[in-house]
Amino acid sequence: MTSNNTTVTDCGTSHFRYPLFTSTYTVVLLFALPLNCVSLWILVCRNGLKKSVPVIYMANLALSDLLFTLSLPFRIIYFATGKWTLGNTLCMIPGTLFAVNIYSSSFFIMLISVDRMLAVVYPLRSRSLRTAPVAWMFCALVWLLIAGLAVPIAQNHPEINDTACNITRCFEKYSTDSWNNGFKLICLATFFGMLVPFSIILGCTVAVVRQLRGYSMATSSFNAELSKSKIVKLFLSNLLIYTICFIPFHVIYILFTLVKLEMLHNGSHLEVYFNLHNITLCLASTNSCLDPLIYYFSAKNIQSRSRCGSASKTVGLGLVQSTSWTGQ
């Protein structure tokens, strides 16, 4: 599903995708590794996973990002040298973890958005749904679904013997059968793993914005406006990740595959789609760098909640402040 191909025989690393991927993955590794390690440490060690529903979802999101980040050195080695020497198993793992990260991130961001929407719009009626056992149940379900998706993806990402160049490839030069299988997988994953969560997040964003507008007439204090701003920024950061990382990659991948498999009669632009696919693949990889935005806005509200204590459990926006980040 993350494979690349080219329309000409190229045995070297002169094509722009090699330095592009090498530099992009290196930058992502340098930023995402410390960001997600620190985020996961703060979420688990300082906030704990026993009671806070948002922390549970964010910790699982950070774990997904960390797994993908740890696989980046293998990609960097390949695109820096243009050949694969580490064996078939280590070739399948990075490609699989890319898909695992994309779709697990999508689901966890959706769960975070739904939890925040319930806390803001239905703070009392949703208490039974916003509990740690329920959160862990949803997380387990996500990982089970992702594990089921990972098996066919791994099988579709083996190392390739490039006979024309007499070298072993990884992450590219896949056969027509692999492209056919990958197309079926990406269509299924796009609908259930990207379009459905994005629609739910968009609906949650609209519901929260409408609810907060209703609070604007009753509350005008600086703290209330600041709290509303943080909540809105959390939802906007969720949508931003989809706009930059997920949507362009899926749109271009599907168009490129349709042209490559001659299902879309636009073969003269195959090279254009191929180049766009390389660029959007890099954008998708930045997902693990952008997710800490969610941790940042959430952590700011968790700190705000700790300072306010039980005294903030009042009506209106005060109720939103007291329930938004604790999962109670």
Side-chain angles (χ1 to χ4, degrees):
M1 292 172 62
T2 61
S3 55
N4 303 289
N5 211 338
T6 183
T7 57
V8 296
T9 301
D10 181 8
C11 295
T13 57
S14 59
H15 191 274
F16 83 93
R17 71 183 183 277
Y18 290 103
L20 175 65
F21 284 135
T22 302
S23 58
T24 299
Y25 292 144
T26 300
V27 171
V28 171
L29 178 63
L30 291 175
F31 281 92
L33 183 60
L35 282 173
N36 285 287
C37 284
V38 171
S39 298
L40 192 59
W41 178 81
I42 292 175
L43 290 168
V44 175
C45 297
R46 294 186 59 182
N47 294 313
L49 300 176
K50 294 182 179 180
K51 294 183 178 181
S52 178
V53 173
V55 169
I56 293 173
Y57 292 144
M58 287 185 290
N60 280 270
L61 178 60
L63 176 61
S64 174
D65 290 334
L66 187 59
L67 290 174
F68 168 67
T69 303
L70 293 175
S71 73
L72 288 179
F74 298 106
R75 290 178 175 268
I76 295 171
I77 291 172
Y78 174 75
F79 287 106
T81 61
K83 57 183 179 180
W84 185 257
T85 60
L86 300 177
N88 189 52
T89 301
L90 288 179
C91 178
M92 292 190 293
I93 291 175
T96 304
L97 287 178
F98 173 84
V100 167
N101 177 244
I102 288 289
Y103 300 111
S104 61
S105 294
S106 179
F107 283 122
F108 287 130
I109 292 173
M110 178 195 72
L111 290 173
I112 292 170
S113 297
V114 171
D115 180 71
R116 297 305 87 217
M117 183 275 294
L118 292 174
V120 173
V121 182
Y122 307 104
L124 298 179
R125 284 184 287 175
S126 64
R127 280 179 177 269
S128 60
L129 295 175
R130 293 184 293 109
T131 62
V134 172
W136 280 116
M137 180 188 69
F138 280 124
C139 290
L141 180 60
V142 168
W143 286 116
L144 285 175
L145 290 173
I146 296 302
L149 179 65
V151 174
I153 290 176
Q155 294 174 343
N156 206 48
H157 284 77
E159 62 179 11
I160 303 296
N161 184 21
D162 188 351
T163 56
C165 299
N166 195 29
I167 57 176
T168 302
R169 302 281 189 179
C170 189
F171 314 121
E172 60 180 348
K173 303 286 185 178
Y174 291 111
S175 65
T176 301
D177 289 339
S178 294
W179 277 99
N180 275 309
N181 294 332
F183 180 68
K184 296 174 185 177
L185 287 171
I186 196 68
C187 287
L188 184 67
T190 298
F191 180 78
F192 291 103
M194 200 274 291
L195 289 179
V196 172
F198 178 72
S199 300
I200 293 174
I201 292 172
L202 190 60
C204 290
T205 303
V206 173
V208 167
V209 171
R210 291 180 60 183
Q211 185 75 8
L212 293 180
R213 282 183 177 178
Y215 291 142
S216 61
M217 297 300 295
T219 59
S220 58
S221 68
F222 175 77
N223 288 335
E225 293 301 320
L226 185 61
S227 180
K228 289 194 297 182
S229 174
K230 291 174 182 176
I231 295 172
V232 171
K233 285 179 180 178
L234 170 68
F235 281 90
L236 292 180
S237 66
N238 292 345
L239 294 175
L240 177 67
I241 291 171
Y242 270 83
T243 303
I244 294 177
C245 303
F246 299 159
I247 295 177
F249 167 73
H250 286 84
V251 171
I252 295 300
Y253 184 93
I254 290 176
L255 289 176
F256 175 46
T257 308
L258 287 173
V259 173
K260 183 171 181 60
L261 296 177
E262 298 182 350
M263 298 180 185
L264 185 65
H265 300 290
N266 198 8
S268 60
H269 294 88
L270 180 60
E271 189 71 19
V272 174
Y273 286 116
F274 170 64
N275 292 335
L276 288 175
H277 173 58
N278 289 320
I279 295 171
T280 56
L281 184 55
C282 290
L283 289 176
S285 301
T286 63
N287 161 53
S288 56
C289 292
L290 293 179
D291 283 343
L293 287 174
I294 299 175
Y295 316 146
Y296 171 76
F297 291 125
S298 300
K300 297 291 284 185
N301 283 272
I302 290 173
Q303 293 170 4
S304 175
R305 171 67 179 89
S306 298
R307 289 193 300 268
C308 291
S310 59
S312 65
K313 295 184 179 179
T314 57
V315 296
L317 188 59
L319 181 58
V320 174
Q321 290 173 311
S322 68
T323 59
S324 290
W325 310 107
T326 62
Q328 300 301 310

